[in-house]
Amino acid sequence: AARAAAGARAAADAERIRLLEAEVARLEPEAAEAARLRQELPGLQSLLQQRTQAAEAASRSAQTAAADRTRLAERLSIETGELQSKLQARDGELEQLRRRLADGQAATARLEATRGELEKRLEARARSEQQLDRKVRELEQAARAAAAQAAPALASPAEQEELVRLRARVEELDGELADLREENDFLNGEVARYHQKNREIQARLDAGR
């Protein structure tokens, strides 16, 4: 009985040994893989650390780029607003210059029309003065001839009065002509000034286009 029990124990031990050897045989590849992984672990940890640092650097770069984009967008918005304000101001100035040019051209046209009428009046006054001056000379010549020939009929009080009146009218026309010439000179100066002003405004308008 003792031998049977010992044999049973020996058989059981042998079976356990066989099973253990089988388990060892099964675990040996995994043990080798574990050893290999233990050897590679420092390199993998270093690689993981590098990739983590790279990811963190990329994240910081992305945040910096986003902040830069935000600042650039804000700066662009400010500069765009300033440019729009400048453009609006320039457009307003150009519109004001156009109105001033139109007003100046209208004023120039009125001055030129007035100058034309004044020149006509000057010509009419000049012709009247020439006619009266000629008539005065004729009367004076007739008076001198009458005095030389002792013909009192040509030196009558009525003719003397007419001669005085004509001389007064000639002097009056001389005064009117002087005033008209002075006014004409003034108008010519105003017309020239408005033309120059209109040219300057037109040049500013052309430069602003």
Side-chain angles (χ1 to χ4, degrees), residues 12-190:
D13 291 339
E15 180 63 20
R16 283 197 301 272
I17 291 170
R18 184 185 67 78
L19 292 174
L20 288 173
E21 289 177 348
E23 183 66 15
V24 169
R26 184 181 69 80
L27 292 176
E28 282 180 350
E30 295 181 2
E33 180 67 15
R36 184 182 66 80
L37 290 175
R38 279 195 298 272
Q39 292 176 354
E40 293 179 356
L41 182 59
L44 291 174
Q45 289 176 340
S46 176
L47 179 61
L48 178 61
Q49 185 178 5
Q50 292 175 1
R51 291 184 177 179
T52 301
Q53 291 174 350
E56 291 175 350
S59 178
R60 287 193 297 270
S61 298
Q63 291 175 355
T64 302
D68 290 341
R69 283 195 299 270
T70 301
R71 286 194 298 271
L72 287 174
E74 292 175 353
R75 181 178 176 184
L76 180 61
S77 177
I78 294 172
E79 291 180 352
T80 301
E82 292 176 350
L83 286 175
Q84 288 177 346
S85 298
K86 289 180 181 179
L87 285 174
Q88 290 175 355
R90 192 189 69 171
D91 290 341
E93 182 181 355
L94 288 176
E95 183 60 29
Q96 184 178 4
L97 287 174
R98 292 188 187 97
R99 288 196 298 269
R100 288 175 57 189
L101 179 59
D103 294 341
Q105 289 173 341
T108 302
R110 288 195 300 272
L111 284 173
E112 289 180 341
T114 303
R115 184 178 63 175
E117 292 296 326
L118 184 59
E119 288 176 349
K120 292 179 181 177
R121 289 170 59 192
L122 273 171
E123 292 174 357
R125 291 291 191 281
R127 286 194 298 269
S128 297
E129 184 184 26
Q130 290 173 358
Q131 292 172 358
L132 288 174
D133 190 52
R134 186 167 57 252
K135 190 170 183 180
V136 167
R137 286 196 302 271
E138 290 174 354
L139 286 173
E140 287 177 342
Q141 289 173 0
R144 285 194 297 269
Q149 296 176 4
L154 293 177
S156 65
E159 289 179 337
Q160 291 294 332
E161 184 179 350
E162 177 67 12
L163 184 58
V164 171
R165 187 185 66 80
L166 289 174
R167 285 174 178 169
R169 180 57 179 160
V170 168
E171 291 178 359
E172 182 182 349
L173 286 173
D174 284 339
E176 291 181 2
L177 280 172
D179 293 339
L180 287 172
R181 289 191 180 100
E182 184 178 353
E183 185 178 355
N184 189 55
D185 291 340
F186 172 76
L187 285 175
N188 285 335
E190 285 294 293

